[in-house]
Amino acid sequence: MSEEVKSLNFIEHIIEEDLRSGYEMSQLRFRFPPEPNGYLHIGHASSICLNFGLGLKYNAPVNLRFDDTNPAKEEKEYVDAIKSDVAWLGYEWDTECYASDYFQQLYDWAMELIKDGKAYVDSQTSEQIASQKGTPTEPGSHSPYRDRSVEENLRLFEGMKNGDFKEGEHVLRAKINMASSNMLMRDPVMYRILHKAHHRTNTDWCIYPMYDWTHGESDYIEQISHSLCTLEFLPHRELYDWFLDQLVSAEKLRPKQREFARRNLSHTVVSKRKLLQLVESGVVAGWDDPRMPTISGLRRRGYTPESIKNFADTIGIAKRENVVDVSLLEFHAREHLNKIAPRVMAVLSPLKVVITNYEEGKEEWLDAENNPEDESAGYRKVPFSKELYIEQEDFREDANRKFFRLKLGGEVRLKNGYIIQANSCTKDNKGNVIEVQCTYDPLSKSGSGTEESLRKVKGTLHWVSIPHAITAEVRLYDRLFTDETPDGHKDKDFMEFVNPDSLEKVTGYLEPSLKDAQVGEQFQFQRMGYFNVDKDSTKEKMVFNRTVTLKDTWAKLEQKE
RNA sequence: UGGCCUAUGGUGUAAUUGGCAACACUACUGAUUUUGGUUCAGUCAUUCUAGGUUCGAGUCCUAGUAGGCCAACCA
């Protein structure tokens, strides 16, 4: 038993240090705080796995909190999708929370800040406020409204809340420091007027708190010990702490914000805005298009929760810029699917093979192993007959000895079936091979134990019996973007790198055992890749998605030539 | 150019906090294989640069360099 010491990431180091210096294990509490303005993507998966993983590790509760402070962008549809994605990944949240549940508390605290002279109502336009912000190298200047009396501020803020003003007429600002080197500390806006219905509070409120005045306070209300977010929020930490300083009480736990680098995936984009653009421009069919890096897209594509979690686990958490290669995600898909996906045979690019010495009209049902990685998966029957399909690329009239497939005069084994030899072929008037005539060795049947059946032939092909085959639409996916970092170019828009060939639809010929496959069910089409049944399937026509190909060393060999 | 963050194989992450640079992926060898899959074995590093402290530096110090973030009534 080699007890493998799992190395800690820097967040875990921080927590371990906190535990050593006074935190009780029972005080630990985390949260995953998405804004319901889009679907969750693979980048969120890292954050989900981090927070919920920490919860599991320390036996601490993890809240699912919707950061719903901007009714202009948020919808219930997104709330529902986010919940189902987190649940699908296999995590259970302790409490389902909404920042909107805290609107009253936040308002009350804001009133306190005004009374303390720490906040004021500014009646300038957003342009005026922006122009007074200064620049990173020059300090800002004070608003003419900065020194309004407490009474006037109170009266105006209540007026804002009561709907006495139009959008943009006033905002509430924290009175901090217009000369701070941190732009966020230059009297940040805490509230703005928005006469928009909110998906939960409807028209109860027409002032909405800003992110900075919501997040830390929500963490405090929920008594989150470690509030983990991405690196771009690092400058917000000073503000996060300033707001907390105004209201934290000594007997309660004070949350800390810590930041980690967002994970970027090669050959894709991971930004809700850009994903939305892909959806709205029609480049993809929706948020759950199998080419999308969204959780729902990956699920539909055939990724398992295990593969996504293992992926998140191996890429880890750190603070530096990164672009993780998609091949690592694909590796985890193959690794898990290899263990669980039943093997079947399907031909996606058919070439007819006729077994000339096989009796016309005869059929045999052969035994086929469902999964060599899992003995308990058992066996099924596949039909064999005189006329079969093999893959076009598995036959060549003539080829060198590195080609382990069918060629004229050569032998090959049909998986789970017989050894056949190609004798001749016929072509259409363009010179394309349209049929191969073969003979089979009746004594070479797989599993029969005869001397002939044990004979080694170099190649083994998958195949399907033409009269028994069922057809289905098979969707083959390629990377959505041709460039490794589509949004990493200053002079070019990421949309310029959209791969026009990211989806190819073909008709597949499948062994008949597949006819009862259910939506979402996963299979390995032997030698072709992993596939699952798409939700677009109907009784008349099944639809399969290719999740990922198998590793293909032959294709690489060929490419080199 | 003000402030802040980061820098370890092609990629991502480690290194018991100053003690033999490790793990995974990719790529490439080879073995096994009724999937050119799987499995197994192997190969791939001047730890951004230059100095310094130390018996000893990826780790500490100094100075550079490169990349990133910050001026929404978005989150």
Side-chain angles (χ1 to χ4, degrees), chain A residues 144-160:
Chain A
Y145 299 100
R146 198 172 199 261
D147 295 314
R148 279 219 251 238
S149 69
V150 168
E151 293 68 33
E152 190 182 8
N153 281 322
L154 252 15
R155 186 174 53 75
L156 284 169
F157 187 50
E158 279 180 286
M160 285 168 63

PDB file of all heavy atoms in Angstrom, chain A residues 144-160:
ATOM      1  N   PRO A 144     -19.534  67.038  -7.405  1.00  0.00           N
ATOM      2  CA  PRO A 144     -20.124  68.181  -6.694  1.00  0.00           C
ATOM      3  C   PRO A 144     -21.172  67.739  -5.666  1.00  0.00           C
ATOM      4  O   PRO A 144     -21.532  68.519  -4.784  1.00  0.00           O
ATOM      5  CB  PRO A 144     -20.756  69.004  -7.822  1.00  0.00           C
ATOM      6  CG  PRO A 144     -20.827  68.114  -9.011  1.00  0.00           C
ATOM      7  CD  PRO A 144     -19.738  67.109  -8.865  1.00  0.00           C
ATOM      8  N   TYR A 145     -21.632  66.524  -5.772  1.00  0.00           N
ATOM      9  CA  TYR A 145     -22.662  66.050  -4.834  1.00  0.00           C
ATOM     10  C   TYR A 145     -22.075  65.254  -3.675  1.00  0.00           C
ATOM     11  O   TYR A 145     -22.788  64.683  -2.871  1.00  0.00           O
ATOM     12  CB  TYR A 145     -23.680  65.171  -5.576  1.00  0.00           C
ATOM     13  CG  TYR A 145     -24.398  65.911  -6.679  1.00  0.00           C
ATOM     14  CD1 TYR A 145     -24.006  65.753  -8.012  1.00  0.00           C
ATOM     15  CD2 TYR A 145     -25.455  66.771  -6.374  1.00  0.00           C
ATOM     16  CE1 TYR A 145     -24.648  66.438  -9.026  1.00  0.00           C
ATOM     17  CE2 TYR A 145     -26.113  67.465  -7.384  1.00  0.00           C
ATOM     18  CZ  TYR A 145     -25.709  67.296  -8.714  1.00  0.00           C
ATOM     19  OH  TYR A 145     -26.348  67.974  -9.704  1.00  0.00           O
ATOM     20  N   ARG A 146     -20.741  65.183  -3.641  1.00  0.00           N
ATOM     21  CA  ARG A 146     -20.085  64.307  -2.679  1.00  0.00           C
ATOM     22  C   ARG A 146     -20.380  64.697  -1.234  1.00  0.00           C
ATOM     23  O   ARG A 146     -20.364  63.846  -0.335  1.00  0.00           O
ATOM     24  CB  ARG A 146     -18.576  64.328  -2.908  1.00  0.00           C
ATOM     25  CG  ARG A 146     -17.842  63.148  -2.262  1.00  0.00           C
ATOM     26  CD  ARG A 146     -16.379  63.146  -2.698  1.00  0.00           C
ATOM     27  NE  ARG A 146     -15.746  61.857  -2.491  1.00  0.00           N
ATOM     28  CZ  ARG A 146     -14.977  61.572  -1.437  1.00  0.00           C
ATOM     29  NH1 ARG A 146     -14.747  62.477  -0.523  1.00  0.00           N
ATOM     30  NH2 ARG A 146     -14.425  60.373  -1.326  1.00  0.00           N
ATOM     31  N   ASP A 147     -20.624  65.987  -1.004  1.00  0.00           N
ATOM     32  CA  ASP A 147     -20.809  66.436   0.379  1.00  0.00           C
ATOM     33  C   ASP A 147     -22.247  66.787   0.707  1.00  0.00           C
ATOM     34  O   ASP A 147     -22.518  67.628   1.571  1.00  0.00           O
ATOM     35  CB  ASP A 147     -19.868  67.608   0.663  1.00  0.00           C
ATOM     36  CG  ASP A 147     -18.420  67.161   0.598  1.00  0.00           C
ATOM     37  OD1 ASP A 147     -18.117  66.100   1.189  1.00  0.00           O
ATOM     38  OD2 ASP A 147     -17.609  67.826  -0.068  1.00  0.00           O
ATOM     39  N   ARG A 148     -23.162  66.141   0.042  1.00  0.00           N
ATOM     40  CA  ARG A 148     -24.561  66.331   0.399  1.00  0.00           C
ATOM     41  C   ARG A 148     -24.776  65.947   1.856  1.00  0.00           C
ATOM     42  O   ARG A 148     -24.073  65.088   2.390  1.00  0.00           O
ATOM     43  CB  ARG A 148     -25.435  65.414  -0.472  1.00  0.00           C
ATOM     44  CG  ARG A 148     -25.687  65.999  -1.865  1.00  0.00           C
ATOM     45  CD  ARG A 148     -27.111  65.732  -2.305  1.00  0.00           C
ATOM     46  NE  ARG A 148     -27.129  64.753  -3.356  1.00  0.00           N
ATOM     47  CZ  ARG A 148     -27.652  64.961  -4.578  1.00  0.00           C
ATOM     48  NH1 ARG A 148     -28.235  66.108  -4.895  1.00  0.00           N
ATOM     49  NH2 ARG A 148     -27.625  64.020  -5.475  1.00  0.00           N
ATOM     50  N   SER A 149     -25.795  66.544   2.465  1.00  0.00           N
ATOM     51  CA  SER A 149     -26.053  66.238   3.872  1.00  0.00           C
ATOM     52  C   SER A 149     -26.625  64.827   3.986  1.00  0.00           C
ATOM     53  O   SER A 149     -27.199  64.298   3.034  1.00  0.00           O
ATOM     54  CB  SER A 149     -27.068  67.231   4.445  1.00  0.00           C
ATOM     55  OG  SER A 149     -28.336  67.005   3.853  1.00  0.00           O
ATOM     56  N   VAL A 150     -26.452  64.257   5.149  1.00  0.00           N
ATOM     57  CA  VAL A 150     -26.987  62.922   5.414  1.00  0.00           C
ATOM     58  C   VAL A 150     -28.491  62.912   5.161  1.00  0.00           C
ATOM     59  O   VAL A 150     -29.022  62.001   4.540  1.00  0.00           O
ATOM     60  CB  VAL A 150     -26.671  62.488   6.860  1.00  0.00           C
ATOM     61  CG1 VAL A 150     -27.461  61.240   7.236  1.00  0.00           C
ATOM     62  CG2 VAL A 150     -25.175  62.255   7.029  1.00  0.00           C
ATOM     63  N   GLU A 151     -29.172  63.951   5.611  1.00  0.00           N
ATOM     64  CA  GLU A 151     -30.626  64.015   5.457  1.00  0.00           C
ATOM     65  C   GLU A 151     -31.024  63.984   3.981  1.00  0.00           C
ATOM     66  O   GLU A 151     -31.919  63.256   3.576  1.00  0.00           O
ATOM     67  CB  GLU A 151     -31.190  65.285   6.101  1.00  0.00           C
ATOM     68  CG  GLU A 151     -31.072  65.319   7.616  1.00  0.00           C
ATOM     69  CD  GLU A 151     -29.612  65.430   8.095  1.00  0.00           C
ATOM     70  OE1 GLU A 151     -28.778  66.085   7.400  1.00  0.00           O
ATOM     71  OE2 GLU A 151     -29.291  64.838   9.145  1.00  0.00           O
ATOM     72  N   GLU A 152     -30.330  64.780   3.180  1.00  0.00           N
ATOM     73  CA  GLU A 152     -30.667  64.825   1.760  1.00  0.00           C
ATOM     74  C   GLU A 152     -30.386  63.478   1.088  1.00  0.00           C
ATOM     75  O   GLU A 152     -31.176  62.986   0.284  1.00  0.00           O
ATOM     76  CB  GLU A 152     -29.892  65.948   1.063  1.00  0.00           C
ATOM     77  CG  GLU A 152     -30.382  66.208  -0.353  1.00  0.00           C
ATOM     78  CD  GLU A 152     -29.576  67.294  -1.079  1.00  0.00           C
ATOM     79  OE1 GLU A 152     -28.541  67.737  -0.545  1.00  0.00           O
ATOM     80  OE2 GLU A 152     -29.994  67.683  -2.184  1.00  0.00           O
ATOM     81  N   ASN A 153     -29.245  62.886   1.452  1.00  0.00           N
ATOM     82  CA  ASN A 153     -28.893  61.564   0.900  1.00  0.00           C
ATOM     83  C   ASN A 153     -29.957  60.536   1.237  1.00  0.00           C
ATOM     84  O   ASN A 153     -30.385  59.754   0.383  1.00  0.00           O
ATOM     85  CB  ASN A 153     -27.540  61.104   1.440  1.00  0.00           C
ATOM     86  CG  ASN A 153     -26.382  61.779   0.712  1.00  0.00           C
ATOM     87  OD1 ASN A 153     -26.446  61.985  -0.507  1.00  0.00           O
ATOM     88  ND2 ASN A 153     -25.336  62.106   1.447  1.00  0.00           N
ATOM     89  N   LEU A 154     -30.375  60.549   2.497  1.00  0.00           N
ATOM     90  CA  LEU A 154     -31.394  59.606   2.944  1.00  0.00           C
ATOM     91  C   LEU A 154     -32.684  59.788   2.142  1.00  0.00           C
ATOM     92  O   LEU A 154     -33.310  58.835   1.685  1.00  0.00           O
ATOM     93  CB  LEU A 154     -31.670  59.836   4.434  1.00  0.00           C
ATOM     94  CG  LEU A 154     -31.201  58.830   5.496  1.00  0.00           C
ATOM     95  CD1 LEU A 154     -30.165  57.831   5.021  1.00  0.00           C
ATOM     96  CD2 LEU A 154     -30.754  59.539   6.761  1.00  0.00           C
ATOM     97  N   ARG A 155     -33.079  61.060   2.021  1.00  0.00           N
ATOM     98  CA  ARG A 155     -34.322  61.366   1.331  1.00  0.00           C
ATOM     99  C   ARG A 155     -34.249  60.944  -0.142  1.00  0.00           C
ATOM    100  O   ARG A 155     -35.152  60.304  -0.675  1.00  0.00           O
ATOM    101  CB  ARG A 155     -34.579  62.883   1.434  1.00  0.00           C
ATOM    102  CG  ARG A 155     -35.926  63.342   0.876  1.00  0.00           C
ATOM    103  CD  ARG A 155     -36.157  64.838   1.154  1.00  0.00           C
ATOM    104  NE  ARG A 155     -35.039  65.683   0.696  1.00  0.00           N
ATOM    105  CZ  ARG A 155     -34.798  65.986  -0.586  1.00  0.00           C
ATOM    106  NH1 ARG A 155     -35.594  65.529  -1.525  1.00  0.00           N
ATOM    107  NH2 ARG A 155     -33.766  66.749  -0.915  1.00  0.00           N
ATOM    108  N   LEU A 156     -33.129  61.274  -0.799  1.00  0.00           N
ATOM    109  CA  LEU A 156     -32.980  60.925  -2.222  1.00  0.00           C
ATOM    110  C   LEU A 156     -32.920  59.408  -2.425  1.00  0.00           C
ATOM    111  O   LEU A 156     -33.509  58.855  -3.356  1.00  0.00           O
ATOM    112  CB  LEU A 156     -31.716  61.578  -2.792  1.00  0.00           C
ATOM    113  CG  LEU A 156     -31.817  63.071  -3.068  1.00  0.00           C
ATOM    114  CD1 LEU A 156     -30.431  63.658  -3.361  1.00  0.00           C
ATOM    115  CD2 LEU A 156     -32.769  63.357  -4.222  1.00  0.00           C
ATOM    116  N   PHE A 157     -32.196  58.722  -1.542  1.00  0.00           N
ATOM    117  CA  PHE A 157     -32.040  57.266  -1.691  1.00  0.00           C
ATOM    118  C   PHE A 157     -33.391  56.576  -1.515  1.00  0.00           C
ATOM    119  O   PHE A 157     -33.735  55.656  -2.258  1.00  0.00           O
ATOM    120  CB  PHE A 157     -31.006  56.736  -0.687  1.00  0.00           C
ATOM    121  CG  PHE A 157     -30.663  55.283  -0.894  1.00  0.00           C
ATOM    122  CD1 PHE A 157     -30.308  54.797  -2.154  1.00  0.00           C
ATOM    123  CD2 PHE A 157     -30.701  54.392   0.173  1.00  0.00           C
ATOM    124  CE1 PHE A 157     -29.994  53.452  -2.328  1.00  0.00           C
ATOM    125  CE2 PHE A 157     -30.386  53.043  -0.007  1.00  0.00           C
ATOM    126  CZ  PHE A 157     -30.024  52.578  -1.263  1.00  0.00           C
ATOM    127  N   GLU A 158     -34.164  57.061  -0.547  1.00  0.00           N
ATOM    128  CA  GLU A 158     -35.509  56.507  -0.381  1.00  0.00           C
ATOM    129  C   GLU A 158     -36.359  56.796  -1.607  1.00  0.00           C
ATOM    130  O   GLU A 158     -37.132  55.946  -2.061  1.00  0.00           O
ATOM    131  CB  GLU A 158     -36.178  57.102   0.865  1.00  0.00           C
ATOM    132  CG  GLU A 158     -35.740  56.419   2.138  1.00  0.00           C
ATOM    133  CD  GLU A 158     -36.406  57.026   3.373  1.00  0.00           C
ATOM    134  OE1 GLU A 158     -36.004  58.149   3.762  1.00  0.00           O
ATOM    135  OE2 GLU A 158     -37.319  56.382   3.919  1.00  0.00           O
ATOM    136  N   GLY A 159     -36.190  57.984  -2.142  1.00  0.00           N
ATOM    137  CA  GLY A 159     -36.896  58.336  -3.374  1.00  0.00           C
ATOM    138  C   GLY A 159     -36.520  57.406  -4.516  1.00  0.00           C
ATOM    139  O   GLY A 159     -37.368  56.968  -5.299  1.00  0.00           O
ATOM    140  N   MET A 160     -35.230  57.098  -4.599  1.00  0.00           N
ATOM    141  CA  MET A 160     -34.769  56.151  -5.631  1.00  0.00           C
ATOM    142  C   MET A 160     -35.483  54.814  -5.453  1.00  0.00           C
ATOM    143  O   MET A 160     -35.965  54.215  -6.417  1.00  0.00           O
ATOM    144  CB  MET A 160     -33.240  55.922  -5.507  1.00  0.00           C
ATOM    145  CG  MET A 160     -32.371  57.071  -6.012  1.00  0.00           C
ATOM    146  SD  MET A 160     -30.618  56.875  -5.511  1.00  0.00           S
ATOM    147  CE  MET A 160     -30.165  55.359  -6.374  1.00  0.00           C
TER     148      MET A 160
END
